[in-house]
Amino acid sequence: MRFDSLIESVGRTPLVGLPRLSPSADVRIWAKLEDRNPTGSIKDRPALWMIEQAEKDGLLTPGCTILEPTSGNTGISLAMSARLKGYKLICVMPENTSEERRQLLRMYGAEIISSPAAGGSNEAVRVAKGLAAEHPDWIMLYQYGNPANWRSHYESTGPEILDDLPTVTHFVAGLGTTGTLMGVGRYLREQKPDVKIVAAEPRYGELVYGLRNVDEGFIPEIYDEGVLTTRYSVTSADALKRTRDLLATEGIFAGISTGCALHAAIGMARKAVQDGERADIVFVVADGGWKYLSTGAYEGTLDEAEDRLEGQLWA
Amino acid sequence: MAIEVRIPTILRTYTDGAKAVDASGATLEELIGDLEARHPGIKARIVDDGKLRRFVNIYLNDEDVRFLGGLGTPISDGDTVTVLPAVAGG
């Protein structure tokens, strides 16, 4: 495979079978390896689509400053593109995100503004919206509300999956901005009306839900519940256990949000076996485990790892 | 029939700080009604105008009840119900 630049190499990631974690020859689980993107996460797709849409719309011109609330991966993807295309980048990041993400962003030349840990990404969104109002010349791409986010998956991730696995029956991914599920979900549903679209939502420690009242909750503007078949809440303990199982049984070293999606995928596989149905279940490996080593997720007992992860944003 | 209901931090003012409380009911709606009888005031924070509040998520054994049967979702002995505010990811 040859590309004219790093940006051109976004997407076309491998889909690999998991013969040991799949329960039978009729019920198979497949991993879409999004860690094989240029900056190591699925966010390279929405970041590139959002930047290119803003360029087409005339909002972004060389020298512009991009502002984005992000827990890390979207920021890293934007930072790479920004460096190659000549933009400045300011990321608003919750304090409780891993050190590796911060180091990578600084290395790419991005400026980081920290938002309070309590409230998680909700607070990052609030702070970024305030900054955008104060600095009308900064361009906030705003992954939570930008249709180019889900469109990147509608136009690339979804078609890749169907090309590689025309017999796909389930698609499972982590729920954050909801872009992956909205885009792949809409594409697959159009092509295969019976496909099941399953969201795996990380359930964090209590600190992250530390809102002052329920009306401060946040639902991304691009979220459309009608695209999903169902939605599961996955605890840090289950996500960690599956992340380790994936490495131990299939050799894949993935980030913790991948364990979250795998947990839901295995649940779907069990259900298909119980119901005596054939299934080809695709789940997303959103990133590799490298950026989470400092969280201690891969060392010691599961209980110790879970304690260390308490209060951290791991997806 | 007792169902364990997990309460988020912001609603524990209604449960004397308890992280989990017991309630009973054959459906989620009945369960929330029983919860209100035991912890007055909590229902209005969860349900508004006969519907789940927009920024409140309720999970029956980890599955979002909006995809099961909403407030009409049947509940059985041994189930766990978790209430959480909606937060952003990404």
Side-chain angles (χ1 to χ4, degrees):
Chain A
M1 272 185 288
R2 171 179 150 169
F3 302 97
D4 286 340
S5 83
L6 187 65
I7 285 178
E8 301 293 316
S9 74
V10 170
R12 279 149 291 179
T13 55
L15 183 69
V16 303
L18 304 185
R20 292 164 200 84
L21 282 176
S22 298
S24 74
D26 289 332
V27 176
R28 296 182 295 180
I29 302 175
W30 303 83
K32 180 73 170 157
L33 301 185
E34 289 298 304
D35 60 313
R36 304 286 189 91
N37 277 300
T39 74
S41 90
I42 191 167
K43 298 295 192 180
D44 283 340
R45 297 180 195 253
L48 183 60
W49 258 252
M50 290 193 298
I51 284 184
E52 294 195 336
Q53 186 61 49
E55 287 171 340
K56 273 183 217 151
D57 295 343
L59 293 170
L60 268 182
T61 49
C64 270
T65 297
I66 298 172
L67 170 72
E68 187 66 16
T70 169
S71 59
N73 279 335
T74 303
I76 293 164
S77 298
L78 288 173
M80 182 271 283
S81 285
R83 187 143 274 271
L84 299 187
K85 288 168 171 280
Y87 305 121
K88 294 188 197 76
L89 175 67
I90 301 172
C91 293
V92 181
M93 265 175 94
E95 281 169 340
N96 44 346
T97 47
S98 77
E99 177 56 27
E100 288 91 331
R101 297 181 182 202
R102 287 161 184 276
Q103 282 192 24
L104 275 161
L105 280 168
R106 286 195 292 265
M107 205 164 63
Y108 272 119
E111 184 186 329
I112 301 170
I113 295 175
S114 289
S115 60
S121 296
N122 289 25
E123 279 297 299
V125 169
R126 195 182 58 77
V127 170
K129 283 181 171 170
L131 286 168
E134 284 168 30
H135 302 272
D137 53 321
W138 293 356
I139 307 300
M140 182 160 78
L141 296 170
Y142 193 53
Q143 53 178 338
Y144 300 97
N146 190 330
N149 175 357
W150 67 262
R151 218 165 29 71
S152 70
H153 299 291
Y154 182 89
E155 292 171 8
S156 70
T157 325
E160 289 171 27
I161 290 168
L162 194 63
D163 280 351
D164 288 336
L165 190 68
T167 53
V168 60
T169 56
H170 297 67
F171 176 73
V172 185
L175 190 77
T177 69
T178 77
T180 309
L181 283 153
M182 294 301 106
V184 174
R186 285 191 176 113
Y187 177 80
L188 291 180
R189 192 63 41 80
E190 281 172 19
Q191 307 294 321
K192 306 195 68 154
D194 293 336
V195 75
K196 293 187 170 70
I197 308 298
V198 178
E201 180 186 11
R203 190 187 306 169
Y204 294 115
E206 294 187 352
L207 178 70
V208 178
Y209 299 97
L211 317 177
R212 281 176 293 272
N213 68 69
V214 274
D215 297 322
E216 284 178 5
F218 180 76
I219 298 169
E221 288 84 343
I222 60 170
Y223 178 62
D224 173 2
E225 177 179 300
V227 177
L228 302 182
T229 307
T230 191
R231 169 170 169 173
Y232 288 95
S233 169
V234 180
T235 61
S236 310
D238 285 331
L240 273 171
K241 182 182 176 303
R242 299 301 190 184
T243 305
R244 290 184 177 195
D245 288 349
L246 185 60
L247 188 145
T249 57
E250 301 283 358
I252 297 173
F253 175 49
I256 306 158
S257 73
T258 296
C260 176
L262 177 59
H263 185 69
I266 288 174
M268 291 289 113
R270 281 201 188 129
K271 197 163 179 296
V273 170
Q274 275 168 15
D275 297 345
E277 288 172 357
R278 179 195 77 76
D280 273 317
I281 301 162
V282 174
F283 79 101
V284 172
V285 173
D287 63 3
W290 304 103
K291 292 189 297 283
Y292 309 92
L293 285 172
S294 74
T295 66
Y298 308 91
E299 274 192 316
T301 66
L302 275 173
D303 283 348
E304 287 164 0
E306 194 190 345
D307 286 346
R308 284 191 292 257
L309 216 55
E310 173 69 29
Q312 294 292 306
L313 285 181
W314 44 261
Chain B
M1 190 175 77
I3 311 284
E4 188 192 21
V5 184
R6 294 186 190 152
I7 306 293
T9 324
I10 48 166
L11 297 183
R12 287 183 199 154
T13 46
Y14 299 97
T15 60
D16 292 327
K19 291 182 178 186
V21 296
D22 283 343
S24 62
T27 64
L28 186 59
E29 194 161 21
E30 286 181 26
L31 185 88
I32 293 170
D34 186 50
L35 205 59
E36 171 70 15
R38 295 168 192 238
H39 308 282
I42 198 167
K43 182 178 175 178
R45 306 295 303 279
I46 299 175
V47 179
D48 181 33
D49 203 13
K51 281 191 299 206
L52 265 184
R53 289 183 83 106
R54 178 166 155 75
F55 294 120
V56 173
N57 293 327
I58 299 186
Y59 303 88
L60 174 64
N61 303 327
D62 300 335
E63 190 165 8
D64 186 336
V65 299
R66 286 193 172 90
F67 298 93
L68 294 170
L71 289 173
T73 304
I75 303 200
S76 319
D77 208 8
D79 283 343
T80 300
V81 169
T82 305
V83 182
L84 282 177
V87 298

